[in-house]
Amino acid sequence: MSLSNLRHRRGAYLASFLNLFLGGAILTGFASLYETGSTPGLAKADRSALQTMALVIGGWGALIIAFGTAATLSLAVQQREKEIALLKAAGALPGQIRRMIMIETAALLAAAAIPATPAGMAVGRTVLATLKSTHQVSNGVALKFGATTLAIGLGDITLAALVAAIVAGRRAANQSTATALVSAATQDAGMSRKRGIAAVVLILVGLDAGVMSATLMKNQGYATMSTAGQACILTGIGLALLAPALIRVTVAVLGPLMRRGGGYLAEAELRRHSRQAAGILMPVILFVALANGALYQQFIQDDANRAQHLAMSADDKGVQTLSFLVVGMIALFAAVVVANIAVAATLHRRREFGQRRLIGDTPGEVRRSLGWEACAILIAGLVFGTLAALAGVVPFSYAKTGHLMPQQSLWVFFAVGAGVTALTLAACLGAARRALSVPALAAIGG
């Protein structure tokens, strides 16, 4: 049944496959830098540069990629709640449901690992060439890509996927048949207590890291930036976990504006499908928080060096490269996650779009309603993602310059916002156009 599901629901699982493939390629690429840095006889400076970059980007990258993978796998399972409820009504045991989801995830992992291995080698070669061209690593260093690389890179993504599958499978299997059928019919927007507690803990730890950056870690060189970066990441993940609640808060605030602008149905849909909309909001929050946090911290550091008339050292170049690589990696991965989830969530509503057209909505009205929904999600993502970025940027600015707010211009913020807005709207409205190309009766029947 698992293999049959994968064969007949290829579109639904494409998002998870792409995340696993891209995550495997990124993590394998940076794991190869760690293996290269472990080569016997390598100069100390080369070893330090390679392993520091591998541990910083690989470590935080593993956390971010695991979060994105969990989001897409959870969405795929949520979209099958009705099917799973019917299986349980027909006699399937909770253990059988869990095994079905685990086997599907394992099959996706195996399919993604094959192309991720050569792609990871290309990532490792590209990063190593960049480090050589900026004179941070000696020209004679050759890339090593062996068993250690595969164990670290593919092991990380395997662990992330299996944890996500266990969590999603346990929720689907542990619901009673009646509860599962009601949940599938009503799209219950409830959020578990464990998820709420985890979110609050992550936000508090993130804020604590921000306070440490401005106090205990002040004037500690690049350790200050590292702690401030942790503040952005942990706060951003904590807020992303609260996404269903943040959607409802956003709709409560924007509701009057949406109704006046003709977005009455969009408001109702977001209230009813807040858990589905949260799947799109989560990567948007992470993208905005981490991109703004990393870039503003780097520019604050550069301006502080210039104010003290300090020439850029090898460490400065290394940290600058790290920052831009972090942003590049996050931008690439988050862009794929945002687009995948937006397309998968929109295409899943093909039947709903067909029903609306049969009761009188034109395709243009359906697209305008979806545009209102996407705008509300984007506004929530920009607001809460910016708050998460400020959790690290404000204390770092205070530690480096004595000013709470950074003195840099807002062009970075506007560029990040424009990028994520264009991506989300293109993914949602492009998928809606494809869903609306199907005749209404065929969409309902499908």
Side-chain angles (χ1 to χ4, degrees), residues 363-387:
E365 288 171 330
V366 175
R367 281 195 293 270
R368 278 197 294 277
S369 176
L370 191 63
W372 270 109
E373 291 180 38
C375 287
I377 293 170
L378 281 168
I379 290 171
L382 289 170
V383 169
F384 294 107
T386 302
L387 289 177

Side-chain angles (χ1 to χ4, degrees), residues 1 3 46 59 92 99 161 174 178 187 268 273 302 309-310 325 369 427:
M1 180 173 285
L3 297 180
D46 292 338
R99 276 199 298 278
N174 289 348
Q187 291 289 319
H273 294 141
D302 291 347
H309 305 291
L310 296 175
L325 275 175
S369 176

Side-chain angles (χ1 to χ4, degrees), residues 111-320:
I114 295 171
T117 302
M121 185 179 288
V123 170
R125 289 189 188 284
T126 303
V127 175
L128 183 59
T130 304
L131 293 174
K132 288 179 181 177
S133 67
T134 54
H135 307 293
Q136 297 174 62
V137 173
S138 305
N139 283 328
V141 176
L143 184 73
K144 286 196 70 177
F145 195 96
T148 304
T149 296
L150 294 177
I152 295 174
L154 298 183
D156 281 350
I157 200 67
T158 300
L159 181 64
L162 292 181
V163 170
I166 290 170
V167 172
R170 187 166 57 183
R171 184 182 186 280
N174 289 348
Q175 276 187 327
S176 70
T177 304
T179 304
L181 284 169
V182 171
S183 177
T186 61
Q187 291 289 319
D188 179 22
M191 195 174 69
S192 72
R193 180 180 295 181
K194 290 180 183 175
R195 179 170 173 165
I197 292 172
V200 172
V201 169
L202 284 169
I203 291 171
L204 290 177
V205 174
L207 294 176
D208 181 61
V211 173
M212 285 179 60
S213 304
T215 54
L216 294 177
M217 301 301 292
K218 188 177 181 181
N219 300 322
Q220 296 294 316
Y222 288 110
T224 311
M225 182 183 281
S226 172
T227 313
Q230 292 176 27
C232 291
I233 293 171
L234 294 174
T235 310
I237 293 176
L239 287 172
L241 285 175
L242 291 176
L246 300 183
I247 284 286
R248 292 194 290 275
V249 170
T250 304
V251 171
V253 173
L254 297 180
L257 176 65
M258 295 172 75
R259 287 193 291 274
R260 279 199 296 273
Y264 176 81
L265 282 177
E267 180 193 1
E269 286 297 329
L270 285 175
R271 289 184 189 279
R272 183 168 177 261
H273 294 141
S274 64
R275 200 173 65 187
Q276 193 175 70
I280 305 174
L281 176 59
M282 290 163 70
V284 174
I285 288 177
L286 279 181
F287 179 87
V288 174
L290 302 186
N292 278 320
L295 288 174
Y296 272 108
Q297 285 177 46
Q298 183 58 53
F299 293 142
I300 290 170
Q301 178 67 48
D302 291 347
D303 286 350
N305 287 345
R306 276 193 288 270
Q308 297 174 30
H309 305 291
L310 296 175
M312 186 172 281
S313 65
D315 284 345
D316 293 329
K317 288 181 181 177
V319 172
Q320 194 177 61

Side-chain angles (χ1 to χ4, degrees), residues 325-368:
L325 275 175
V326 167
V327 173
M329 185 189 72
I330 291 169
L332 179 62
F333 185 74
V336 171
V337 174
V338 169
N340 281 345
I341 292 182
V343 169
T346 305
L347 288 179
H348 184 67
R349 298 171 62 185
R350 186 184 289 121
R351 181 185 177 89
E352 171 199 329
F353 294 159
Q355 290 172 331
R356 287 176 59 174
R357 287 153 65 194
L358 284 180
I359 62 175
D361 276 3
T362 64
E365 288 171 330
V366 175
R367 281 195 293 270
R368 278 197 294 277

